[in-house]
């Protein structure tokens, strides 16, 4: 455990950002005000927010606490995050196919795709190289640095994508945009730095 600011971050509870990620995801999935089970779109913002915010931030915070068990929990949470991100992508892909719309046509889509690709890669590298039991390069300082900063940048990209996606849907509502983005800004200080 470190000292000062770093030590405080290792003691951050996981539940506030986890709860906010779930709540904001569910909210963003209901642009009409109701949860529509039979609409593919419903499962896009909710899955993505639970994946990249609730699970992604929790996994990063857990890793900051250090130790064998926490590293394994970090990997497990990131596995859940990566799988759920795949579901979130499939939901919007099917939604677009259904309406005959072209794919990857916005900043939101490109930023989101970059985050998805990076998470897949980071998971593979984490499992093969950094896992405390089976990692083949777990003592490499260089690889650990790249994984850490790659993970931070990928998560930040996903959060920017989420804000852009939400703002696109609530274009003239600055208050709602601010309420959606500000918790992410606060959480990024604690979980991504
Ligand atoms: C949290 C991270 C998120 C990621 C990684 C992500 C990723 C993506 C990707 C890759 C696409 C393109 C799908 C395609 O073209 O086939 C897309 C489309 C879309 N997403 Fe997201 N998304 C996220 C969050 C959100 C949120 C929070 C909302 C809205 C509240 C949202 C709304 C949309 C909409 C409306 C589209 C279709 C229009 C477009 O392509 O820009 N997304 N998203
Ligand atoms: C989608 C997959 C993953 C992402 C996005 C990711 C992201 C991150 C992030 C952001 C950190 C820095 C945490 C901090 O601020 O201290 C980190 C550290 C770390 N992760 Fe992952 N991770 C992923 C998968 C894994 C897996 C599967 C393992 C293996 C169990 C793993 C092992 C580690 C280790 C050992 C560190 C510490 C590196 C160091 O600072 O020395 N990660 N990861």
């Amino acid at each position: 455990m470190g000292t000062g600011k770093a030590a405080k971050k290792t003691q951050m509870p996981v539940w506030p950002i986890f709860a906010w990620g779930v709540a904001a995801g569910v909210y963003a999935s209901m642009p009409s005000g109701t949860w529509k089970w039979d609409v593919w779109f419903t499962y896009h913002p909710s899955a993505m927010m639970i994946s990249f915010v609730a699970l992604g931030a929790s996994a990063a915070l857990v890793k900051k606490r250090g130790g064998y068990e926490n590293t394994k929990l970090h990997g497990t949470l990131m596995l859940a995050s990566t799988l759920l991100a795949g579901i979130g992508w499939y939901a919007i892909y099917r939604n677009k196919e259904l309406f005959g719309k072209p794919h990857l046509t916005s900043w939101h889509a490109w930023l989101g795709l970059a985050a998805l690709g990076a998470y897949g890669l980071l998971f593979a590298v984490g499992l093969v190289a950094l896992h405390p039991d089976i990692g083949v390069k777990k003592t490499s300082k260089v690889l650990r640095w790249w994984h850490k900063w790659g993970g931070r940048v990928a998560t930040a990209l996903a959060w920017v994508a989420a804000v852009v996606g939400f703002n696109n849907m609530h274009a003239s509502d600055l208050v709602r945009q601010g309420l959606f983005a500000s918790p992410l800004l606060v959480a990024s200080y604690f979980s991504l730095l």
Side-chain angles (χ1 to χ4, degrees), residues 137-168:
K137 276 247 178 254
K138 58 188 171 192
T139 55
S140 163
K141 282 213 161 77
V142 176
L143 189 70
R144 291 176 81 101
W145 187 90
W146 276 103
H147 177 86
K148 176 160 135 182
W149 278 99
R152 290 173 170 185
V153 170
T155 308
L157 272 181
W159 293 10
V160 172
V163 170
V164 173
F166 185 86
N167 289 358
N168 286 345

Side-chain angles (χ1 to χ4, degrees), residues 18-37:
F18 192 93
W20 187 82
V22 175
V26 169
Y27 177 76
S29 278
M30 306 191 297
S32 64
T34 48
W35 181 269
K36 296 188 172 156
W37 293 101

